Amino acid sequence: MEVKLNVRRIAFEIINKVEFGKSYSDDLINKYVDKFEDKRDFNLLRKIVLGVLERKYTLEYIISMYSKTKLKKIDPKILIIMKIAVYQMIFLTSIPDHASINEAVNHSKKLTKWNLSGYVNGVLRNISRNKAEISKLIDSTKDLEIKYNINAGIVEYIKENYNDDFDSLLDSLYNELPFSIRINENMMNSNEVFEELQSLGMNPKNSDITNINMLIQNPESVHNTKLYREGIISIQGEGSTLAVQVLDPRPGSKVLDLCAAPGTKSLLIAEYLKDSGIIIANDIDISKHKKIVQNFNRIKFSNYELCGFDASIYQPEMKEEFDYVLVDAPCSALGLIARKPEIRYRRSMETIRELRDLQRAILINAVKYLKPNGVLVYSTCTYGYLENEQQADFIENELNMEKSYFDYKGNSLNRIQLFNSKDNTDGFFIARFIKP
């Protein structure tokens, strides 16, 4: 007899792996897409995991107010159990408090050699009795780390960069973003794809950012559709798609995707080339090459080579070899917080400065790989001048590249920043240059 999966126990396992490992929540959650008989259970799992991770500091603050044991001395696994329960009680009110508390108490009995169920029960019941007061405290707190659940240094950095839109930007990072797919127009036109997605109950909506993305609902089964299997659609964010549209590689050209994993941009570049050019897809993490190959195979594209060199180390054999180079640089990924909430507390200003230096080393090499009149596009999925505007200025002023302009909604731009708050999509920076 098949055992019914326990949503909260699975949520606990995922959160534990994310908080005490290097895993990302979306990768772990997606392993359960087809595991539940009732889709509502999968949706609840996703909501709990993402909610607990995005409210980490707030939840720990609440527990600290009602626990006689200091946070640092609470068994880490017990603390996760309590955070799951508190999240449900404070932020997911459709679930009765007693159900959340009972599940936490029963789980705690099985988890450690110490019987901490009485402690868990006492703390959670006390929190349940004081929910109204807790909500007022959270709403009125002046502690920005607790309010926004982001490393304090990063909060100040974002405020420094976007002071006028500071609150709306950080508030928007709690919003669930729409799920984006991208169309391979070499295989089917947008209208036909739209109708097919409608018939599958995915309620498509055309993107406001690109002309080949659509936003869909009920995306859990998208991988199983004929559209996906045959390469007609791919899962790709609007900013990621826009970066390749800004690159705009011509058929017959030679293109280098210098930091290619997971390969969605390489895939779109391949669709631009139409089997009459070549793309070199490079990523130092060779374990990710399999996914890149799978993507190329889906669209039956063979004009590619895979490389696994360190992009920050110069490859002399590549000097002036390429018509186009895309540097979608390793970055702090602050623009992905709404999808990967663990980024909120995995990043620091020290991390950002280290990434800035790595990005510059990569850019110095990227320019050398371009032919004269070759095009460079630099992109990140983050916010802040250190990784974005300052790097674009570095490309122009220190690497002697010329600004190159692209059209975006009727405006001629050299660079663009997309925002969660204004554009309802991932934070993404893109800049275009040409080699004189």
Side-chain angles (χ1 to χ4, degrees):
M1 187 177 79
E2 188 175 352
V3 178
K4 183 175 173 62
L5 296 174
N6 186 309
V7 172
R8 291 161 188 80
R9 304 289 171 95
I10 296 171
F12 166 86
E13 295 296 339
I14 292 174
I15 294 165
N16 190 47
K17 287 177 182 177
V18 171
E19 287 200 348
F20 299 103
K22 295 183 178 180
S23 300
Y24 281 101
S25 53
D26 55 346
D27 294 333
L28 297 175
I29 291 168
N30 287 338
K31 291 180 180 180
Y32 289 90
V33 167
D34 300 317
K35 302 290 186 184
F36 292 98
E37 289 184 14
D38 190 334
K39 189 173 73 173
R40 289 174 298 181
D41 288 334
F42 173 76
N43 290 336
L44 178 60
L45 171 69
R46 187 172 180 278
K47 194 178 289 277
I48 290 174
V49 171
L50 297 182
V52 170
L53 291 172
E54 75 180 4
R55 304 276 183 179
K56 173 182 167 67
Y57 295 146
T58 302
L59 296 172
E60 291 177 356
Y61 170 67
I62 293 169
I63 291 168
S64 71
M65 285 194 295
Y66 293 93
S67 170
K68 292 180 180 178
T69 305
K70 301 245 181 234
L71 276 181
K72 290 182 179 179
K73 293 189 176 182
I74 300 174
D75 182 287
K77 292 183 178 180
I78 294 295
L79 184 57
I80 293 174
I81 288 175
M82 290 200 292
K83 284 192 289 188
I84 291 172
V86 174
Y87 173 73
Q88 292 175 105
M89 291 191 291
I90 303 295
F91 298 104
L92 202 61
T93 53
S94 58
I95 299 173
D97 285 8
H98 67 84
S100 301
I101 294 170
N102 289 342
E103 171 60 30
V105 169
N106 291 333
H107 193 187
S108 67
K109 288 178 181 177
K110 300 177 181 179
L111 204 61
T112 68
K113 62 183 179 181
W114 302 281
N115 185 359
L116 298 173
S117 59
Y119 163 75
V120 170
N121 184 63
V123 172
L124 295 181
R125 291 195 180 281
N126 204 0
I127 290 171
S128 177
R129 285 191 293 268
N130 291 280
K131 282 183 2 180
E133 178 188 345
I134 290 168
S135 295
K136 288 179 184 176
L137 282 171
I138 294 169
D139 290 341
S140 62
T141 182
K142 302 296 183 186
D143 188 321
L144 296 181
E145 191 169 83
I146 292 172
K147 181 177 181 179
Y148 293 117
N149 287 279
I150 298 176
N151 174 289
I154 302 292
V155 172
E156 290 301 322
Y157 176 59
I158 292 176
K159 187 174 183 179
E160 178 186 346
N161 279 263
Y162 311 106
N163 187 51
D164 291 343
D165 302 306
F166 166 67
D167 284 313
S168 61
L169 175 55
L170 289 182
D171 281 336
S172 74
L173 299 180
Y174 287 119
N175 298 339
E176 186 172 356
L177 293 174
F179 190 93
S180 172
I181 60 99
R182 193 258 306 150
I183 301 160
N184 181 350
E185 291 193 315
N186 296 334
M187 304 181 74
M188 186 181 286
N189 70 49
S190 296
N191 290 336
E192 291 172 320
V193 173
F194 192 94
E195 290 175 4
E196 182 67 22
L197 291 170
Q198 266 191 325
S199 72
L200 295 170
M202 293 185 178
N203 302 319
K205 176 186 174 186
N206 290 322
S207 167
D208 292 328
I209 294 169
T210 82
N211 59 357
I212 55 173
N213 281 80
M214 288 183 187
L215 310 177
I216 62 172
Q217 297 176 10
N218 309 315
E220 294 84 5
S221 58
V222 70
H223 287 94
N224 300 323
T225 64
K226 182 180 178 182
L227 290 172
Y228 181 83
R229 290 195 306 270
E230 295 186 356
I232 298 167
I233 65 170
S234 295
I235 297 166
Q236 186 166 10
E238 295 161 290
S240 171
T241 299
L242 185 61
V244 179
Q245 290 192 321
V246 168
L247 186 70
D248 194 23
R250 300 291 86 197
S253 56
K254 189 172 184 180
V255 185
L256 173 61
D257 187 353
L258 197 47
C259 309
T264 51
K265 295 182 187 70
S266 293
L267 188 66
L268 181 52
I269 290 169
E271 292 169 21
Y272 267 77
L273 296 183
K274 301 180 187 291
D275 284 320
S276 62
I278 187 167
I279 177 170
I280 310 300
N282 174 70
D283 201 274
I284 191 172
D285 189 347
I286 296 174
S287 68
K288 295 179 179 178
H289 286 195
K290 181 179 178 182
K291 181 66 175 176
I292 297 173
V293 172
Q294 287 173 344
N295 274 323
F296 283 135
N297 288 344
R298 270 196 314 117
I299 65 168
K300 299 177 174 59
F301 180 82
S302 58
N303 292 6
Y304 70 89
E305 293 178 15
L306 287 181
C307 296
F309 60 84
D310 184 338
S312 68
I313 298 174
Y314 179 56
Q315 309 297 310
E317 70 278 8
M318 288 188 169
K319 182 180 179 181
E320 295 191 349
E321 279 288 309
F322 296 92
D323 303 291
Y324 300 87
V325 175
L326 173 63
V327 178
D328 184 47
C331 69
S332 57
L334 302 180
L336 300 183
I337 283 176
R339 300 189 197 277
K340 299 175 186 284
E342 54 274 11
I343 292 169
R344 291 172 177 272
Y345 50 89
R346 285 186 180 177
R347 300 294 185 264
S348 66
M349 289 308 301
E350 181 182 3
T351 306
I352 289 175
R353 293 187 186 99
E354 289 171 354
L355 285 164
R356 174 197 57 191
D357 295 342
L358 174 62
Q359 290 157 3
R360 291 198 173 187
I362 292 170
L363 285 167
I364 289 168
N365 295 331
V367 169
K368 294 175 182 176
Y369 300 148
L370 275 172
K371 298 175 183 178
N373 298 312
V375 172
L376 170 73
V377 165
Y378 173 72
S379 65
T380 71
C381 52
T382 198
Y383 295 119
Y385 68 93
L386 290 177
E387 297 178 85
N388 293 338
E389 287 83 1
Q390 196 178 89
Q391 302 295 52
D393 292 341
F394 173 76
I395 295 167
E396 181 185 1
N397 301 323
E398 302 296 325
L399 301 183
N400 301 313
M401 295 285 283
E402 293 180 356
K403 290 179 179 178
S404 180
Y405 291 84
F406 57 91
D407 178 80
Y408 182 72
K409 298 185 179 182
N411 298 308
S412 183
L413 305 175
N414 162 248
R415 58 186 76 171
I416 187 172
Q417 174 77 62
L418 300 177
F419 291 90
N420 295 69
S421 48
K422 296 177 181 177
D423 303 295
N424 197 32
T425 193
D426 300 312
F428 224 93
F429 178 83
I430 304 165
R432 192 179 203 266
F433 301 88
I434 193 165
K435 188 173 184 176

